């Protein structure tokens, strides 16, 4: 059995990790870390595991945890892991970080967009960006995984095939994104109260959202050239889910068949990326509670643009599910173990 520790187990991503790992045949959770609920029963925080989890929440002691666990998940705010990670921890356990601390390779870009000093830039280069569908072989050999952000996961997988195939003008790329309220975390914030969010939709982080450089970096790797794009997220009144609609000019001479073939070739062997039938658009309700990403594409000959669409669950594939997917690769397990989840309907 793989012994697992979770730091930040009482946040939404941490709780989703617990839900998934409790159903994992090869994993045993040995540490439910929570700074806010030390010595309280985990099931008192999340009643869905009443009479399933009897453990108490433990403090954030990564050195002790690394001696007890084979892998550590850190579902913590930006800057936490970068401030405590050292060689001793990495020599005793593999680490999968759900924050942005090691996702962006240029430390100056990270510090600019996140507004904090990076305390351990020496680990940035070795950290593997854990988007399994693209970096699978690198993930298998890693000891430090930078689990991708929710918007970057959906955005990258939605646009990646055409960026990789060179069929679109990347300088024209615009990504419109919508997310459920859980994406903002479990902390109490007035803008996320029920009466503030219900029956409303609003853009936020306009021209400044911190996931922008992460999306640009990953699509730059795919396209083989520097990518600068417009990314605008919106908050919508649902608990979980992300919908991406991306627009770009397709290159002269590109055909509908080439566009479709690029997606079919990119995802023909990917269990968790479902290429929808021609003319079918993705919907968040068809991926809720699952590790799937549904993608669709439409060529608009009238405008000379291609419209790329993607939907996924921001807490599962966008955080915890992808983290477990990375764990499976790290330990040589079936990639779908513990996360072969049928979406929840309704």
């Amino acid at each position: 059995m793989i012994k697992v520790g979770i730091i930040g187990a009482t946040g939404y991503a941490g709780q989703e990790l617990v839900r998934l790992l409790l159903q994992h045949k090869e994993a045993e959770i040995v540490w439910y870390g929570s700074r806010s609920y030390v010595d309280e029963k985990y099931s008192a925080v999340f009643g869905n595991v009443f009479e399933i989890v009897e453990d108490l929440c433990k403090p954030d002691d990564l050195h002790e945890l690394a001696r007890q666990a084979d892998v550590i998940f850190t579902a913590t705010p930006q800057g936490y892991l970068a401030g405590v990670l050292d060689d001793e921890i990495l020599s005793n356990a593999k680490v999968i970080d759900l924050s942005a601390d090691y996702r962006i390779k240029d430390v100056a870009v990270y510090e600019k967009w996140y507004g904090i000093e990076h305390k351990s830039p020496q680990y940035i280069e070795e950290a593997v960006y854990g988007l399994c569908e693209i970096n699978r072989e690198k993930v298998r050999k890693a000891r430090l995984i930078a689990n991708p952000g929710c918007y970057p996961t959906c955005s990258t997988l939605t646009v990646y095939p055409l960026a990789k195939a060179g069929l679109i003008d990347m300088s024209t790329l615009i990504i419109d994104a919508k997310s459920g309220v859980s994406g903002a975390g479990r902390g109490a914030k007035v803008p996320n109260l029920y009466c503030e969010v219900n029956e409303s939709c609003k853009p936020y982080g306009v021209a400044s959202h911190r996931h922008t450089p992460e999306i640009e970096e990953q699509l730059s790797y795919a396209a083989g050239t520097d990518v600068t794009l417009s990314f605008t997220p919106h908050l919508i009144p649902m608990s979980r889910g992300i919908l991406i609609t991306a627009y770009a000019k397709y290159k002269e001479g590109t055909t509908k068949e080439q566009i479709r073939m690029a997606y079919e070739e990119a995802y023909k062997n990917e269990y968790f990326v479902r290429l929808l039938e021609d003319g079918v658009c993705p919907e968040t309700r068809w991926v809720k509670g699952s590790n799937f990403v549904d993608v669709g594409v439409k060529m608009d000959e009238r405008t000379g643009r291609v419209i790329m669409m993607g939907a996924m669950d921001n807490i599962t594939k966008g955080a915890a599910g992808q983290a477990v997917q990375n764990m499976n690769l790290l330990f040589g397990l079936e990639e779908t173990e513990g996360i072969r989840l049928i979406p929840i309907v309704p």
Side-chain angles (χ1 to χ4, degrees):
M1 295 289 281
I2 301 168
K3 295 189 181 298
V4 176
I6 304 169
I7 299 296
T10 52
Y12 286 141
Q15 192 277 334
E16 184 79 341
L17 276 167
V18 171
R19 183 178 78 90
L20 299 176
L21 291 167
L22 287 173
Q23 302 172 82
H24 197 291
K25 294 178 182 177
E26 303 293 337
E28 176 191 359
I29 303 175
V30 298
W31 192 290
Y32 295 81
S34 175
R35 186 174 298 174
S36 301
Y37 298 95
V38 175
D39 293 332
E40 294 187 37
K41 288 187 70 172
Y42 187 78
S43 61
V45 183
F46 289 105
N48 62 321
V49 293
F50 176 64
E51 294 191 349
I52 298 173
V53 176
E54 298 297 331
D55 299 63
L56 302 180
C57 294
K58 297 181 180 180
D60 298 350
D61 187 343
L62 260 74
H63 290 90
E64 177 58 31
L65 173 52
R67 288 188 282 269
Q68 296 186 27
D70 300 307
V71 60
I72 300 170
F73 293 94
T74 48
T76 49
Q78 330 303 333
Y80 169 78
L81 184 62
V84 298
L85 189 65
D86 58 25
D87 288 340
E88 180 184 342
I89 294 169
L90 286 172
S91 65
N92 287 322
K94 295 182 183 294
V95 177
I96 300 173
D97 181 33
L98 278 70
S99 83
D101 285 357
Y102 300 99
R103 295 176 190 159
I104 298 171
K105 292 303 181 184
D106 188 332
V107 67
V109 172
Y110 169 89
E111 291 179 341
K112 174 185 175 181
W113 285 81
Y114 285 86
I116 55 177
E117 178 188 358
H118 201 295
K119 298 296 180 63
S120 55
Q122 67 270 27
Y123 296 117
I124 293 176
E125 187 58 37
E126 81 159 279
V128 172
Y129 189 75
L131 190 53
C132 303
E133 288 75 13
I134 295 173
N135 291 330
R136 183 173 285 109
E137 295 310 312
K138 292 180 180 179
V139 169
R140 295 186 200 276
K141 304 170 186 176
R143 63 173 184 167
L144 174 60
I145 298 292
N147 207 63
C150 53
Y151 281 131
T153 294
C154 200
S155 297
T156 301
L157 291 175
T158 299
V159 178
Y160 177 84
L162 298 188
K164 184 72 172 177
L167 296 177
I168 54 176
D169 180 351
M170 298 300 289
S171 69
T172 67
L173 182 61
I174 296 172
I175 299 178
D176 177 280
K178 297 173 179 64
S179 175
V181 185
S182 61
R186 193 164 177 250
K189 303 167 188 173
V190 170
N192 297 337
L193 294 174
Y194 176 82
C195 289
E196 304 293 324
V197 174
N198 188 45
E199 297 187 25
S200 181
C201 179
K202 63 179 180 181
Y204 67 99
V206 178
S208 63
H209 194 278
R210 57 193 185 181
H211 280 173
T212 304
E214 186 180 339
I215 300 169
E216 290 179 339
E217 183 171 306
Q218 294 307 311
L219 290 178
S220 294
Y221 295 148
T225 186
D226 289 342
V227 172
T228 301
L229 55 83
S230 294
F231 172 71
T232 306
H234 301 74
L235 188 66
I236 57 177
M238 65 183 186
S239 295
R240 51 203 295 169
I242 279 181
L243 182 70
I244 295 293
T245 308
Y247 309 86
K249 287 279 189 180
Y250 55 81
K251 293 184 177 178
E252 187 175 354
T254 299
T255 66
K256 179 180 178 181
E257 290 72 26
Q258 287 177 306
I259 289 173
R260 182 74 187 183
M261 183 63 69
Y263 280 87
E264 291 177 350
E265 183 63 27
Y267 297 135
K268 63 184 178 183
N269 296 318
E270 296 299 339
Y271 179 81
F272 289 119
V273 181
R274 305 191 298 190
L275 176 59
L276 301 177
E277 294 181 5
D278 191 28
V280 177
C281 298
E283 300 182 38
T284 58
R285 63 178 177 148
W286 298 131
V287 292
K288 184 178 179 181
S290 80
N291 204 55
F292 288 117
V293 180
D294 284 359
V295 295
V297 62
K298 176 75 174 179
M299 186 177 188
D300 184 0
E301 294 178 307
R302 186 181 67 87
T303 63
R305 296 187 182 93
V306 61
I307 302 165
M308 299 153 279
M309 301 159 283
M312 72 174 201
D313 189 307
N314 60 294
I315 306 178
T316 314
K317 180 60 173 172
Q322 184 146 252
V324 174
Q325 191 177 350
N326 277 303
M327 183 194 79
N328 289 339
L329 288 172
L330 283 174
F331 289 90
L333 303 176
E334 180 68 34
E335 192 170 327
T336 59
E337 175 57 46
I339 47 176
R340 194 187 288 266
L341 306 166
I342 305 301
I344 301 167
V345 177

